[in-house]
Amino acid sequence: EPEVTQTPSHQVTQMGQEVILRCVPISNHLYFYWYRQILGQKVEFLVSFYNNEISEKSEIFDDQFSVERPDGSNFTLKIRSTKLEDSAMYFCASSALRDTGEQYFGPGTRLTVT
Amino acid sequence: QKEVEQDPGPLSVPEGAIVSLNCTYSNSAFQYFMWYRQYSRKGPELLMYTYSSGNKEDGRFTAQVDKSSKYISLFIRDSQPSDSATYLCAMKPQGGSEKLVFGKGTKLTVNP
């Protein structure tokens, strides 16, 4: 069964450093998303991406964040200058169709900022 | 009032019990209702997906949506220890935003 994959599974970085989180969405999916989950809190939407551009972003997704689809399979989230409060699980998701709610999530990258 | 509310539990049941998990919401624009299962430190796994009101059954799982009450439920019949996980409800409106709005999750333990 096709699935979303994410690398690395765990990333430790120092405050102020740049990190890139990588995702390979399900191959025939066209819509891509990033969510995050701070320990003990709700899963929160960060950004959606379609046709090589951001279609929607939340208030969390400020200028420190960027997304890119560098090739036909990868989808990345970059945090330019990490803060302690960026420590969270980051989930990539993808869907085949728009406006269905059927989003399939990857296993997540646990980001720890020290 | 929070957009999506979900009792965090924890909920502990014996194997074979019927489990009822619920969420309430305030945004009447929500039309798509999902249930995800999340094992500890793993990604949410889509379990059930429902559009608008009504019931949907898949094996031991039944999802119900009551839009008039802004209330959704997930029932698990003949619960198994492998069902032990956190169950998240999620919703989105039709058209416009693709953002899923999640509940906080209910932690379920099924005891053998």
Side-chain angles (χ1 to χ4, degrees):
Chain A
E1 186 174 323
E3 56 185 22
V4 177
T5 59
Q6 290 185 244
T7 53
S9 57
H10 188 195
Q11 173 97 45
V12 182
T13 190
Q14 289 190 326
M15 199 166 50
Q17 295 298 302
E18 174 183 288
V19 294
I20 297 176
L21 310 182
R22 292 182 166 80
C23 168
V24 179
I26 294 172
S27 63
N28 63 341
H29 285 188
L30 299 175
Y31 301 88
F32 314 117
Y33 314 89
W34 284 100
Y35 290 79
R36 78 172 185 191
Q37 186 177 31
I38 295 170
L39 190 63
Q41 297 190 22
K42 292 184 180 185
V43 176
E44 303 174 284
F45 171 81
L46 292 177
V47 66
S48 60
F49 190 88
Y50 168 70
N51 200 25
N52 277 321
E53 59 183 34
I54 290 173
S55 45
E56 185 179 0
K57 59 184 181 180
S58 72
E59 304 80 26
I60 303 166
F61 194 89
D62 61 21
D63 292 344
Q64 294 300 312
F65 291 88
S66 62
V67 290
E68 192 179 32
R69 187 148 163 86
D71 54 42
S73 57
N74 291 282
F75 179 50
T76 62
L77 174 69
K78 183 195 289 187
I79 309 175
R80 258 179 280 279
S81 177
T82 50
K83 307 183 188 71
L84 293 175
E85 55 265 36
D86 294 328
S87 295
M89 284 288 285
Y90 287 80
F91 297 110
C92 174
S94 69
S95 62
L97 299 171
R98 193 183 179 282
D99 201 27
T100 67
E102 276 190 274
Q103 296 179 17
Y104 295 87
F105 282 69
T109 293
R110 183 153 61 103
L111 177 64
T112 303
V113 183
T114 61
Chain B
Q1 186 182 9
K2 291 180 183 174
E3 223 174 356
V4 178
E5 300 218 44
Q6 185 175 9
D7 186 339
L11 183 61
S12 182
V13 301
E15 185 174 353
I18 296 174
V19 176
S20 171
L21 304 166
N22 311 294
C23 287
T24 58
Y25 62 95
S26 58
N27 188 347
S28 57
F30 287 146
Q31 292 279 4
Y32 296 95
F33 304 93
M34 283 64 67
W35 285 96
Y36 286 85
R37 177 172 62 195
Q38 186 176 29
Y39 293 112
S40 182
R41 295 191 178 268
K42 301 292 184 187
E45 173 195 357
L46 182 61
L47 271 182
M48 299 286 286
Y49 159 83
T50 313
Y51 172 70
S52 195
S53 281
N55 293 358
K56 186 173 185 178
E57 190 173 319
D58 184 1
R60 296 185 295 110
F61 298 89
T62 300
Q64 286 186 353
V65 175
D66 181 350
K67 290 190 66 188
S68 62
S69 302
K70 296 192 179 74
Y71 186 89
I72 70 169
S73 301
L74 178 70
F75 297 96
I76 307 174
R77 288 184 299 282
D78 187 25
S79 55
Q80 303 295 310
S82 57
D83 295 328
S84 298
T86 297
Y87 289 81
L88 310 173
C89 63
M91 353 193 142
K92 77 172 275 309
Q94 182 169 16
S97 176
E98 289 298 298
K99 175 178 80 171
L100 297 187
V101 180
F102 282 83
K104 201 168 181 183
T106 300
K107 184 169 183 178
L108 171 68
T109 301
V110 181
N111 301 298

